[in-house]
Amino acid sequence: MIGYLIRRVIGAAVVLLALSAIVYGLFYAGPSDPALLACGKGCTPDRLAVVKSSMGLDKPLVDQYLSFLHAIFFGHDYSSGPSVRHCPAPCLGYSFETDQPVTTILGSTLPVSASLALGAMALSLLLGIGAGLVTVLSRRRWLDRGLNVVVLVGYAMPVFLVALILLIVFCSDLQWLPFPTYVPLTQDPAGWAQNLLLPWIALALVQAAAYARMTRAQTLETLSEDHVRTARAYGLSQRRIITGHVLRGALTPLVTMAAIDLAGIMTSAVLTETMFGLPGIGQALVQAVGSTDLPVIVGVTLTAGAVYVLANALADILYAAIDPRVELA
């Protein structure tokens, strides 16, 4: 297991390094001039030359990329005339629009997206796995068919429509909940959960449908395997067979699926954050694209890629830990 972990960490590091090179090349070696974007309106040639020099864009592209990597690990000094501004590691530059460090923007938006993703994922797994097991184990065919209909309807519903219905019903008509506004967990745990409840439900209803279908299919397949029939022949109870033999084999594919979905919710839940007014990383990316704020776009893109890579690496590790049949290759 230790060797497997080392290989996964090295593989993730290589992928992140390749991702950083691709992202940097796409945004900084493209047709647009980052120095001109940073210089702003009314930029003179002399001022543009100073900005290029301070950003290191007057050097060859390879040197620029190496400087970019150095700034991530060791920080960077930005000079503008007589003044020097130090950007501590991990330095992703300064926003063209607000002149804030990109890491400060990420630090304020990532907790919002992480809170949204983790809560929605926990709720969707609970609902989806529970519904999937009920459809398999229930001897009442009407319940099986009814849940299947609900699952299909939930899977077909777009997130923005579910969010709109929830806002109208619970915030406007019934007034059971306030319109969501993000409250930090450390400041008010109850307010944090109350304001994120509707976004969690909106995302969970859609995600749970996929988990229910996956759980149902994998459970039916596992129940027909030889080791389950052997366990029944030895007289083990149905409950012990399900908890000790079926769940491990049936739920392992959900680990990979949940890891990808968790990363997706955290980095690309733009519609959900927009509908509920949550200042997450998706909202930051939309605003940065609208104002062509390259440092923020690059920072958010790299962060999203890192989340996906780390989530997949964690999924592989959990997959091997849950199912001993998986070979640690």
Side-chain angles (χ1 to χ4, degrees), residues 275-290:
M275 291 296 297
F276 291 102
L278 299 175
I281 195 172
Q283 283 284 74
L285 180 60
V286 170
Q287 294 171 5
V289 170

Side-chain angles (χ1 to χ4, degrees), residues 209-231:
Y211 294 140
R213 289 175 62 85
M214 176 68 77
T215 301
R216 185 177 188 277
Q218 292 297 321
T219 303
L220 289 174
E221 181 180 347
T222 306
L223 283 172
S224 63
E225 292 183 358
D226 293 338
H227 70 281
V228 175
R229 288 196 292 266
T230 303

Side-chain angles (χ1 to χ4, degrees), residues 27-28 31-41 43 48 51-52 55 57 95-97 288 291-295 297:
F27 289 104
Y28 281 89
S32 60
D33 188 353
L36 186 60
L37 294 172
C39 192
K41 297 180 179 179
C43 184
L48 181 60
V51 172
K52 278 189 174 183
M55 296 177 65
L57 298 178
S95 167
F96 294 164
E97 192 72 16
S291 59
T292 324
D293 197 345
L294 280 186
I297 296 174

